[in-house]
Amino acid sequence: MKPSPPPAPQELELKLSLPLADAERLRQQLARVALLSRRTAAQLSLHNIYYDTPDQQLRQQRAVLRLRRVGDDLSPRWLQTFKTGASDTSALSQRGEWESPVDGAALSRPALQATPWSQIDTDGSLFAALAPCFVTAFERTLWLVRRRDGSVVEVALDLGQIEADDKTTPICELELELKAGQPAALFAIAQQIARTVAVLPATMSKAQRGFLLAQGGLNQAHRAQLPRLTQRMPVLQMVQQVLRSALAQFTQNLESLRHSDDPEVVHQARVGWRRFKSALRLFRKFLPLAAPKPSAALQALLDALGELRNMDVARTETLPALADAFTLGQTQRTQAWQAMMTVVTQATDLQRATVRRTLQTPATGASLLAIVQWLEGLSDDEQAAPGPKVLLRPWAKQRMHRLSQQLDAARQVADTAEQWHRVRILAKRLRYGSEHLQDVLPRRRVKQGVQSATDMQDDLGAARDVAQLSALVAKLDLPPYVAEFLRGVALGAGGWVKSSPKKMAPGSGLNT
């Protein structure tokens, strides 16, 4: 009888990005963290070369291969590392990791013999096609934290940059790696750091960011990446995957927002948070414990994002569509409109700066960390106390049917702006619920639910965007006759909402 193969070495790591990208201030802040200040830190200079095939076969299989030089050119030490199972939906990642010393700055196929490499490269053709894709170069400060409960955590501060061709992007992050003990130790230490240092849960590794940089896709808007569900999946595992996907969409767009002025980034961040809240409501009967409520700091961020989104929409969509109706081809009115647009643009820039400052508030990241810790604990809750036995398909059909009925009922009686707002909220819940459960619902029902809810969202959303002009006028110093024009338009839009025709026939959601 052959002995069982040894278990694959696992790396369990919590990744945190640092919104305050000021190396000296970060070092000062970390020096005030008690659990780090009383420990001696080690310093390393690291240079890494990442490899893949031209069609990125490794990346497609969630694998990473890199060469690392530790130290300087005079006395380098080279390590080859192969990683598998990388995830891009959680700041807490667990993956296989095999690291071997090599002779120099060249990949070694023999060093891969004790790894699962042969499973993806049976004939050596993949190895032969490997080429450098990008490099990372950074200074690492290391602290080894030993806790009284026996857990050991390595805390690494990485400051440097990723380089791909002629493009670069900064590295400014913390990695907490569990060397011994339970994952709770990672969050306990992270929360102690987050009392002093602003952090954000980071779902993308340096490798993932490097590939995006090389392809020109870094810091762009991240849309929903829906998880794959199966009929026999344990219910809390299903809930966890859906919530991870939504929260990752939110935090990835927050990361992009630090560097990008693209209005779509703000929009997708808010979509991610709405999907997260919608999923919490959809699955609440299955949750052993309720999710932590957003702190005042996180709520301030959410409110600031909403305000920024309103201003972005006004600046890029609503106001440009009204320009001709106001200017009427007259020079004086055109100049007044352009002056107004300058004021709106400046106000939007100030609001974007406010959002970025809110990201640098330690309490914001601490609140997000608490949500991530709760979310990652759901799988432990299922092992300790298995949830109810649920047949996912019948439950999903029933839940979406009920939500569709609520939407139809609300739409039939809607007459005020507040009632139409509730219709819009229910339409969002129907759309997000249909998308969350698309793998366990009949395809026809998913298509009906998503399409009907999206159409209603679009109609009511467009009217709401115009109605928001009154709030914009109240906040900005605009020429009187421009302000009066916008108030009139907003008043007309408000009337449209109150008397909006019921465009969807009853039962056009998932009731059929």
Side-chain angles (χ1 to χ4, degrees), residues 297-351:
L298 179 54
Q299 189 58 54
L301 171 65
L302 297 169
D303 293 342
L305 283 169
E307 182 68 19
L308 177 56
R309 176 59 181 165
N310 289 339
M311 299 176 79
D312 271 336
V313 170
R315 179 177 60 87
T316 63
E317 299 176 23
T318 312
L319 291 174
L322 298 172
D324 289 344
F326 176 82
T327 60
L328 301 174
Q330 300 177 20
T331 300
Q332 185 178 3
R333 295 176 71 87
T334 299
Q335 291 173 345
W337 188 265
Q338 291 172 344
M340 180 270 297
M341 289 299 297
T342 298
V343 171
V344 172
T345 299
Q346 292 171 343
T348 304
D349 292 342
L350 288 174
Q351 183 63 21

Side-chain angles (χ1 to χ4, degrees), residues 178-348:
L178 188 67
K179 298 296 186 180
Q182 298 301 313
L186 295 173
F187 288 100
I189 292 174
Q191 285 289 2
Q192 290 184 60
I193 294 172
R195 294 171 191 166
T196 305
V197 182
V199 302
L200 285 176
T203 59
M204 287 196 294
S205 66
K206 295 181 186 70
Q208 290 165 319
R209 293 180 64 216
F211 281 113
L212 288 175
L213 177 67
Q215 297 171 344
L218 192 62
N219 298 325
Q220 293 187 358
H222 295 266
R223 289 167 174 77
Q225 299 294 319
L226 300 174
R228 295 299 304 271
L229 307 180
T230 63
Q231 299 275 357
R232 298 183 179 181
M233 181 178 289
V235 65
L236 277 184
Q237 183 183 345
M238 173 197 68
V239 173
Q240 187 180 53
Q241 290 195 19
V242 170
L243 289 171
R244 274 178 179 164
S245 166
L247 191 61
Q249 183 184 4
F250 179 61
T251 57
Q252 285 175 2
N253 281 290
L254 291 184
E255 187 67 29
S256 293
L257 179 58
R258 292 173 52 203
H259 310 282
S260 173
D261 294 342
D262 183 0
E264 187 63 17
V265 171
V266 178
H267 176 53
Q268 291 302 323
R270 297 187 71 236
V271 169
W273 184 256
R274 289 199 300 263
R275 290 182 61 233
F276 182 75
K277 288 204 311 180
S278 176
L280 285 177
R281 187 181 184 91
L282 180 65
F283 300 126
R284 61 187 173 183
K285 67 174 285 187
F286 303 129
L287 298 175
L289 294 173
K293 293 185 179 299
S295 67
L298 179 54
Q299 189 58 54
L301 171 65
L302 297 169
D303 293 342
L305 283 169
E307 182 68 19
L308 177 56
R309 176 59 181 165
N310 289 339
M311 299 176 79
D312 271 336
V313 170
R315 179 177 60 87
T316 63
E317 299 176 23
T318 312
L319 291 174
L322 298 172
D324 289 344
F326 176 82
T327 60
L328 301 174
Q330 300 177 20
T331 300
Q332 185 178 3
R333 295 176 71 87
T334 299
Q335 291 173 345
W337 188 265
Q338 291 172 344
M340 180 270 297
M341 289 299 297
T342 298
V343 171
V344 172
T345 299
Q346 292 171 343
T348 304

